[in-house]
Amino acid sequence: LKAVIVTIGDEILTGHIVDTNAAWLAARLSEIGFEVIKKISIGDDREAIMATLKEMTGVTSLVLITGGLGPTPDDVTRKALFDFFESTPVEDPAVLRQVQSFMEKRGRPLTDLNRKQALVAHNCKVIPNNIGTAPGMWFEKRGTIFVAMPGVPFEMQEMFNSYLQGMLKEHFALPSFIVRQVLLTGIGESFLAEEIKQWEKNLPPSIHLSYLPSPGMITLRLTARDENRDALEQEVESQLRKLQTLIPSYIYGYDNDTLEAVVGRMLWEHGKTLSLAESCTGGAIGRMIVNVPGASRYFKGGVIAYSNEIKINVLGVPESVLGNFGAVSRETVCAMAEGVRKLFDTDYAVAVSGIAGPEGGTEEKPVGTVWIAVTSKEETTAEKFSFGDDDRQRNITKSAIAALNLLRKSIQII
Amino acid sequence: LKAVIVTIGDEILTGHIVDTNAAWLAARLSEIGFEVIKKISIGDDREAIMATLKEMTGVTSLVLITGGLGPTPDDVTRKALFDFFESTPVEDPAVLRQVQSFMEKRGRPLTDLNRKQALVAHNCKVIPNNIGTAPGMWFEKRGTIFVAMPGVPFEMQEMFNSYLQGMLKEHFALPSFIVRQVLLTGIGESFLAEEIKQWEKNLPPSIHLSYLPSPGMITLRLTARDENRDALEQEVESQLRKLQTLIPSYIYGYDNDTLEAVVGRMLWEHGKTLSLAESCTGGAIGRMIVNVPGASRYFKGGVIAYSNEIKINVLGVPESVLGNFGAVSRETVCAMAEGVRKLFDTDYAVAVSGIAGPEGGTEEKPVGTVWIAVTSKEETTAEKFSFGDDDRQRNITKSAIAALNLLRKSIQII
């Protein structure tokens, strides 16, 4: 079952808006079993719309169209649809009532433009718009279903959820579909590809794998499709177990997990508290931790010790340690972590000190050199990272992720 | 000059990621004088890629392609390009050096997969990737220019800004254009539209205005295009002066300024230092401040006082203040700001305490209620904000922005 998404609007082509409708619809269609083979964006241009509709007719099972259904002159989609499907516009009483009630609720008069919204194609199924004025229209031509929906995201989403999803499931006999995500950190994309080469090669054809990298992280996305849902679920689970055995230390979570939520859950479950001593990250680790609602149950806070003066005066790092080893050293981050753990009276503390760049690098400690320490009542460990990145923002982001990951591994041991 | 943008990747078609590359490229192409007539997204699928390239050949002036240039097996774009343009893959020494240096900086060995990145088409112009491993490639076929770039947004953007923009200007002899950005905070989009309605109405047709809102901020983008560059520059400058007079207090900067860089420059110029006391923002203000290279010249650090215990024990907020007024109050943020300024011995200090949500709101202090204080040797001022947002992340971001803006206004007075 192949589907194409067509989004219409000049504002998409000038880059003034990011086309979130296409992504939203693609996700929903994929979930219910369609394979989206193409997304197309075109302007409010009759010729381009007609040509696109023609190109898809008889070739694909479903074409979802959004945008350009409004009543103003620059909304040319409806007119083009009427021409393409050789439709006669007829006033739909139910749509007219909805438009009237919509305007009444807002204390506005019903204009001729509003009234035009009730004109639908005589040869379409009308799809109600419960929260706006432009109805959706469902057409069929040479075996292809065309559905036109409004471009306002919340109207389109409501229409899809309330009506279209059910109509599609009924019209097409939809196969089973599973999407799973494996979330990794601490390994680069090409190294990961090497490590799991054999596993990837042995994946059955029903499972498709993609790599989704972001700074400091990689998501492996498994998309599986098959007639037999139970067998498919078992196959996916079995593949995930194999992967888990292959690269256990890089996997921090699955599906909608986040690193900060995983670490937070571990702290909460073990009844442990956390404090931070951040130098080069400047608050980035704390910012991630408070992403999680309820973080106050385990996170007491931290010290942003950006200057050495604060490392000494607030965290109690000995001047001699800074003098002998420098701010970016095992000795300094360990002293920072131990200092903040004492000051904040927490079970765990994490400290980071590094050179985010673009200035401040030396031959011995180039930009991207970062020391991270984790301390608990039992022990203090530290690790050196070489992110080797010229970009300050990415070095900061990668440092914060690496710090949370080191903490995750430390808690995992207990 | 017509352009088509083609984004390639299964993750786009499954809706797993929102295709921001297409919007970014559409905006940049529109600015420099191209008319983007279509955006197409297809999967990592050789047939679909070949068919799309064929469809565009000789029909449009420019085709920009992103995605699928990586070294992993699911990146099929490069292979398809080689086939379509009948190219022989040759190892490019400059690209190989960049890949080697990229891996070296990260202390990693050069794998065969890495090495493959240096294989480029013999009949393309190579476009360097300064911050990644996959180079861009520029092809020409029957009068159409095809440019393939990596799909990682920051690599693609860097490549466009550093190289492609200039190459396009030269190849297509593009007309003059000016883009200026006015950066605002502290006002909502619809209020801003009201305030500048008359000014907007009187803009000459050569100047196009767009509103680009993001959480807590709005960018007004003026795009001007004309044959006579001098006259155009004068016109734009004159319009910017009018706007500055109309809404001076909301404008924090222009063009590539950032709020944190503007505030940092003010602190540095006045020879002042800064510390922070962050509660609900959890480090978000610090994270913004250290975005700016050289922030250590004025930023000493801060205390993330997420729990009341830390507000009392580290910042010295009296228990009676917390008891009588609560953590989210004028009295508490003022005490937090004064406490951290003393502890860190800085000229200025900023403190934030609020309810980020989704839990913790009351009738009197609903989610989105945030108190911010700024203190200096001379005085302490505080302001209450009601962001009225149900979204935790947006409340945190808006709080951090409002805090920096309040600091900006305080320093402006001296």
Side-chain angles (χ1 to χ4, degrees):
Chain A
L1 282 173
K2 295 192 190 305
V4 172
I5 296 166
V6 181
T7 51
I8 299 174
D10 285 344
E11 70 280 12
I12 302 172
L13 293 187
T14 52
H16 282 146
I17 64 160
V18 174
D19 183 11
T20 54
N21 277 351
W24 192 89
L25 282 173
R28 303 309 308 276
L29 287 178
S30 298
E31 275 165 26
I32 64 175
F34 284 92
E35 185 192 356
V36 178
I37 55 162
K38 203 174 194 177
K39 300 199 297 198
I40 300 172
S41 302
I42 46 180
D44 296 303
D45 171 337
R46 188 178 174 283
E47 295 313 309
I49 297 171
M50 299 283 277
T52 301
L53 297 178
K54 194 177 165 198
E55 188 191 330
M56 298 304 150
T57 308
V59 178
T60 180
S61 321
L62 175 67
V63 180
L64 286 195
I65 304 154
T66 68
L69 291 183
T72 53
D74 60 343
D75 290 311
V76 301
T77 303
R78 198 167 51 163
K79 183 80 179 59
L81 288 170
F82 289 174
D83 291 351
F84 185 75
F85 294 106
E86 296 166 16
S87 312
T88 310
V90 293
E91 192 172 87
D92 185 288
V95 175
L96 186 61
R97 274 196 303 277
Q98 158 64 7
V99 174
Q100 276 170 329
S101 126
F102 185 90
M103 302 315 289
E104 258 167 35
K105 274 187 202 157
R106 283 155 186 75
R108 299 194 206 145
L110 191 76
T111 65
D112 284 351
L113 262 184
N114 297 143
R115 210 184 167 95
K116 261 183 71 179
Q117 291 277 252
L119 292 177
V120 299
H122 80 283
N123 53 351
C124 80
K125 271 191 235 175
V126 176
I127 311 176
N129 183 341
N130 291 332
I131 55 174
T133 58
M137 288 183 277
W138 167 298
F139 298 93
E140 184 158 3
K141 191 167 186 172
R142 298 208 346 249
T144 299
I145 298 294
F146 294 82
V147 181
M149 291 190 286
V152 182
F154 57 84
E155 292 183 23
M156 182 279 286
Q157 291 171 16
E158 208 282 331
M159 187 177 285
F160 187 95
N161 290 335
S162 294
Y163 301 102
L164 187 57
Q165 181 168 290
M167 292 167 79
L168 291 172
K169 277 190 176 160
E170 200 184 301
H171 185 90
F172 299 95
L174 299 174
S176 275
F177 186 85
I178 296 169
V179 177
R180 293 298 306 272
Q181 301 194 127
V182 187
L183 312 173
L184 303 106
T185 185
I187 187 169
E189 186 180 1
S190 53
F191 288 93
L192 177 64
E194 281 288 328
E195 293 261 341
I196 64 173
K197 194 158 70 178
Q198 205 53 46
W199 172 83
E200 186 173 348
K201 215 174 135 185
N202 292 336
L203 281 177
S206 60
I207 299 180
H208 178 82
L209 179 76
S210 40
Y211 290 68
L212 308 173
S214 60
M217 296 187 169
I218 298 173
T219 297
L220 286 179
R221 187 181 171 93
L222 283 82
T223 312
R225 216 176 274 138
D226 200 279
E227 295 304 310
N228 183 336
R229 189 170 178 97
D230 286 347
L232 194 63
E233 266 172 12
Q234 277 176 26
E235 179 66 44
V236 169
E237 285 306 321
S238 138
Q239 293 298 342
L240 288 181
R241 275 194 302 273
K242 280 184 202 162
L243 192 67
Q244 171 75 43
T245 316
L246 205 59
I247 47 165
S249 74
Y250 304 120
I251 301 178
Y252 69 82
Y254 290 89
D255 303 321
N256 296 318
D257 281 345
T258 62
L259 182 56
E260 54 268 34
V262 167
V263 170
R265 203 159 55 223
M266 290 168 86
L267 287 165
W268 175 238
E269 280 171 7
H270 288 94
K272 302 292 184 189
T273 55
L274 173 68
S275 59
L276 306 171
E278 303 197 43
S279 182
C280 68
T281 47
I285 308 172
R287 176 67 187 87
M288 282 180 77
I289 288 171
V290 304
N291 269 335
V292 183
S296 56
R297 295 181 299 182
Y298 47 83
F299 181 51
K300 285 199 189 176
V303 171
I304 305 170
Y306 209 60
S307 74
N308 282 352
E309 181 192 329
I310 302 304
K311 293 183 183 85
I312 297 164
N313 294 342
V314 180
L315 292 177
V317 177
E319 273 196 73
S320 60
V321 164
L322 282 165
N324 290 337
F325 304 101
V328 181
S329 65
R330 176 190 292 275
E331 290 75 9
T332 295
V333 272
C334 288
M336 286 169 67
E338 287 160 7
V340 80
R341 196 179 84 75
K342 217 160 102 186
L343 181 65
F344 278 54
D345 187 23
T346 55
D347 299 303
Y348 283 92
V350 176
V352 179
S353 186
I355 301 150
E359 308 291 316
T362 63
E363 196 159 327
E364 200 201 341
K365 295 175 184 175
V367 165
T369 305
V370 178
W371 273 97
I372 303 178
V374 177
T375 188
S376 66
K377 280 190 188 71
E378 288 73 32
E379 58 165 359
T380 304
T381 55
E383 202 174 305
K384 183 183 160 185
F385 294 81
S386 303
F387 296 119
D389 204 314
D390 292 332
D391 186 276
R392 181 176 177 85
Q393 310 314 325
R394 281 201 303 277
N395 277 328
I396 294 174
T397 301
K398 288 178 182 174
S399 300
I401 290 169
L404 282 178
N405 197 42
L406 213 61
L407 175 61
R408 179 183 72 85
K409 290 188 187 175
S410 299
I411 309 173
Q412 217 162 32
I413 295 165
I414 59 169
Chain B
L1 282 173
K2 296 192 189 304
V4 172
I5 295 166
V6 181
T7 51
I8 298 174
D10 286 345
E11 68 279 14
I12 302 172
L13 293 186
T14 52
H16 180 73
I17 64 160
V18 175
D19 182 10
T20 54
N21 277 351
W24 192 89
L25 282 172
R28 302 308 307 275
L29 286 178
S30 300
E31 276 167 24
I32 62 174
F34 285 92
E35 184 193 356
V36 178
I37 56 163
K38 203 175 193 176
K39 299 199 298 197
I40 300 173
S41 303
I42 47 180
D44 295 305
D45 171 340
R46 189 180 172 283
E47 295 312 310
I49 297 170
M50 300 282 278
T52 302
L53 296 178
K54 193 176 165 198
E55 188 191 330
M56 298 303 150
T57 308
V59 178
T60 179
S61 322
L62 175 66
V63 180
L64 286 195
I65 304 154
T66 68
L69 291 184
T72 54
D74 63 341
D75 291 311
V76 301
T77 303
R78 198 166 52 161
K79 183 81 178 58
L81 289 170
F82 288 175
D83 290 351
F84 185 75
F85 294 106
E86 296 167 15
S87 310
T88 311
V90 291
E91 193 173 87
D92 185 289
V95 175
L96 186 61
R97 274 197 303 277
Q98 158 65 7
V99 174
Q100 275 170 329
S101 125
F102 185 90
M103 302 315 289
E104 255 168 36
K105 276 188 200 159
R106 284 156 184 76
R108 301 193 202 148
L110 190 77
T111 66
D112 283 351
L113 264 183
N114 298 144
R115 208 181 168 96
K116 261 183 69 179
Q117 292 276 253
L119 291 177
V120 299
H122 79 285
N123 53 352
C124 80
K125 272 191 234 176
V126 176
I127 310 176
N129 182 341
N130 291 331
I131 55 174
T133 57
M137 289 182 275
W138 166 297
F139 297 93
E140 183 157 4
K141 191 168 186 171
R142 297 207 346 249
T144 299
I145 298 295
F146 295 81
V147 180
M149 291 189 285
V152 182
F154 57 81
E155 293 183 20
M156 183 279 287
Q157 291 171 17
E158 207 283 333
M159 188 177 284
F160 187 95
N161 290 335
S162 294
Y163 301 102
L164 188 56
Q165 180 169 291
M167 292 167 80
L168 292 172
K169 276 186 183 168
E170 199 183 304
H171 185 90
F172 290 100
L174 298 173
S176 261
F177 72 95
I178 295 170
V179 178
R180 293 298 306 273
Q181 300 195 126
V182 187
L183 311 172
L184 302 107
T185 186
I187 187 169
E189 189 178 0
S190 53
F191 288 94
L192 176 65
E194 275 296 319
E195 294 261 340
I196 65 172
K197 194 158 71 178
Q198 206 52 45
W199 172 82
E200 186 173 349
K201 216 174 135 184
N202 293 336
L203 282 177
S206 60
I207 299 181
H208 178 81
L209 180 75
S210 39
Y211 290 68
L212 308 173
S214 60
M217 296 187 169
I218 298 173
T219 297
L220 287 178
R221 192 178 178 93
L222 284 80
T223 312
R225 213 177 280 143
D226 200 281
E227 295 305 310
N228 184 338
R229 190 172 175 97
D230 286 347
L232 196 61
E233 267 173 12
Q234 278 177 25
E235 179 64 45
V236 169
E237 284 306 320
S238 139
Q239 293 298 342
L240 289 180
R241 275 194 303 273
K242 280 185 201 161
L243 192 67
Q244 171 74 43
T245 316
L246 206 59
I247 46 164
S249 74
Y250 304 120
I251 301 177
Y252 69 82
Y254 290 89
D255 303 321
N256 296 319
D257 279 345
T258 62
L259 182 55
E260 55 268 34
V262 167
V263 170
R265 205 159 53 223
M266 290 168 87
L267 286 165
W268 176 238
E269 281 170 8
H270 288 95
K272 303 292 185 187
T273 55
L274 173 69
S275 60
L276 306 172
E278 303 198 43
S279 183
C280 67
T281 46
I285 308 173
R287 175 68 185 85
M288 283 179 76
I289 288 171
V290 304
N291 270 334
V292 184
S296 57
R297 294 179 301 180
Y298 47 83
F299 180 52
K300 285 200 190 175
V303 171
I304 305 172
Y306 209 59
S307 74
N308 282 351
E309 181 192 329
I310 302 305
K311 292 183 185 84
I312 296 164
N313 294 344
V314 180
L315 292 177
V317 176
E319 273 196 74
S320 60
V321 165
L322 282 165
N324 291 336
F325 305 101
V328 181
S329 64
R330 175 190 293 274
E331 290 76 8
T332 296
V333 273
C334 288
M336 286 170 67
E338 286 160 8
V340 81
R341 196 179 84 76
K342 219 160 101 185
L343 182 64
F344 279 54
D345 186 22
T346 55
D347 299 301
Y348 283 92
V350 176
V352 178
S353 185
I355 302 150
E359 308 291 316
T362 63
E363 197 160 325
E364 199 200 341
K365 295 176 184 173
V367 166
T369 305
V370 178
W371 273 98
I372 302 177
V374 176
T375 188
S376 65
K377 280 191 189 72
E378 288 74 32
E379 58 165 358
T380 304
T381 55
E383 201 174 306
K384 183 183 160 184
F385 294 81
S386 302
F387 295 120
D389 204 314
D390 292 334
D391 186 275
R392 180 176 178 85
Q393 309 315 326
R394 281 201 303 274
N395 278 328
I396 293 174
T397 302
K398 287 178 183 174
S399 300
I401 291 169
L404 281 179
N405 197 42
L406 213 60
L407 174 62
R408 180 183 70 88
K409 290 187 186 175
S410 299
I411 309 172
Q412 216 163 33
I413 295 166
I414 59 170

